[in-house]
Amino acid sequence: YLVEDRDDIPARRGARWTPESDAWLRRCFDAGLPLQIIARMFGRAYTSIRSRLLHHELIEAPAEPATAIQRPR
């Protein structure tokens, strides 16, 4: 199958952010919308929304990088 045919690929994946979309993102975030909902509204991945909020310093990166989940032996 083609990547474009996959339902789990956001429609605007890889698209450039415009000043208008950045302003809309800020309004949605300031209104308290969950990031999953914002991602669906923008047709982008959750990680894309989170990265953009980090870029604009609206959220902070975790103090420590995530570690792999350790399974019990």
Side-chain angles (χ1 to χ4, degrees), residues 38-73:
I38 296 172
R40 274 191 242 133
M41 290 169 57
F42 278 78
R44 294 181 182 265
Y46 171 88
T47 53
S48 172
I49 299 300
R50 190 174 177 284
S51 293
R52 200 62 182 177
L53 293 172
L54 282 166
H55 172 80
H56 287 294
E57 299 180 351
L58 295 172
I59 61 174
E60 293 182 5
E64 297 179 18
T67 58
I69 296 173
Q70 302 226 349
R71 295 178 186 219
R73 294 179 187 227

